Amino acid sequence: MFQAFYPDDTADSAYAIDFQRLYDQGIRGVIFDIDNTLVPHGAPADRRAIELFSRLRQMGMQSCLISNNQLPRVKPFADAVGTLFLENAHKPSVKNYCKAMELMKTETTSTVFVGDQLFTDVYGARRAGIFAILVKPIHPKEEIQIVLKRRLERIVLYFYERKRRQ
């Protein structure tokens, strides 16, 4: 019933993902959400984010940020971590997931998506045919519309976990 919203994998954090393992498995591009995936909502790029993107580049991995936020939020973050970006992405629309792969010169089979929300991030990635990794939100403080979505996400995640244990 909820399978379209199920992630392909989960991680405690974007910083806990073994990107070297993914690279060894043929992944060449990573699409990231920003807020509550890489930093708390509205926060600038921090040392951890900058180091993560540096490691990805050293590995030979492409990266791109896609965010529903506007240019004044997304561009400074992308500039600080040194990556491609697409703002005002209208996630879960598939269009900008595909555009991100085009910018990175990757395919669905060589791309992963990392985000913290089921109904925008994961759903959009799955619809685009991209392997989706759901991470736990970095910070509990969120805008009211996201708080309401989180309650619905708990229901979907309950069934997801139940299916994984079978």
Side-chain angles (χ1 to χ4, degrees):
M1 177 161 95
F2 297 118
Q3 285 86 345
F5 301 105
Y6 290 173
D8 295 296
D9 200 0
T10 60
D12 285 339
S13 152
Y15 303 103
I17 296 169
D18 186 347
F19 289 103
Q20 183 62 56
R21 181 181 58 80
L22 292 172
Y23 184 86
D24 294 344
Q25 293 172 347
I27 298 301
R28 294 298 180 262
V30 185
I31 302 170
F32 289 96
D33 174 51
I34 301 171
D35 288 320
N36 251 350
T37 297
L38 295 167
V39 294
H41 188 81
D46 60 14
R47 181 187 51 77
R48 266 192 336 171
I50 293 166
E51 288 174 1
L52 171 61
F53 283 83
S54 176
R55 277 197 326 272
L56 292 173
R57 277 191 300 280
Q58 289 170 4
M59 229 182 278
M61 188 110 55
Q62 298 295 313
S63 62
C64 186
L65 303 171
I66 65 171
S67 175
N68 286 346
N69 279 305
Q70 304 301 310
L71 191 66
R73 165 69 179 131
V74 182
K75 185 177 182 342
F77 193 96
D79 289 347
V81 299
T83 194
L84 302 164
F85 70 93
L86 294 164
E87 83 281 0
N88 196 22
H90 300 285
K91 294 181 290 181
S93 170
V94 171
K95 178 183 170 190
N96 283 306
Y97 290 87
C98 295
K99 177 80 173 166
M101 288 186 290
E102 185 181 312
L103 290 172
M104 295 187 299
K105 297 177 177 51
T106 60
E107 305 290 329
T108 56
T109 56
S110 62
T111 305
V112 298
F113 178 84
V114 179
D116 70 297
Q117 291 188 53
L118 287 179
F119 300 129
T120 52
D121 297 332
V122 169
Y123 183 54
R126 294 284 313 269
R127 288 178 59 219
I130 300 169
F131 190 89
I133 302 173
L134 177 71
V135 296
K136 293 177 182 171
I138 286 181
H139 196 275
K141 185 177 185 237
E142 296 181 299
E143 297 172 344
I144 188 65
Q145 71 271 19
I146 296 173
V147 171
L148 297 173
K149 281 196 277 184
R150 294 281 187 214
R151 290 182 181 165
L152 295 172
E153 283 183 353
R154 278 191 225 124
I155 296 166
V156 175
L157 289 171
Y158 168 80
F159 288 102
Y160 168 73
E161 289 299 331
R162 202 167 116 183
K163 184 178 182 201
R164 276 181 52 169
R165 282 186 244 124
Q166 292 177 343

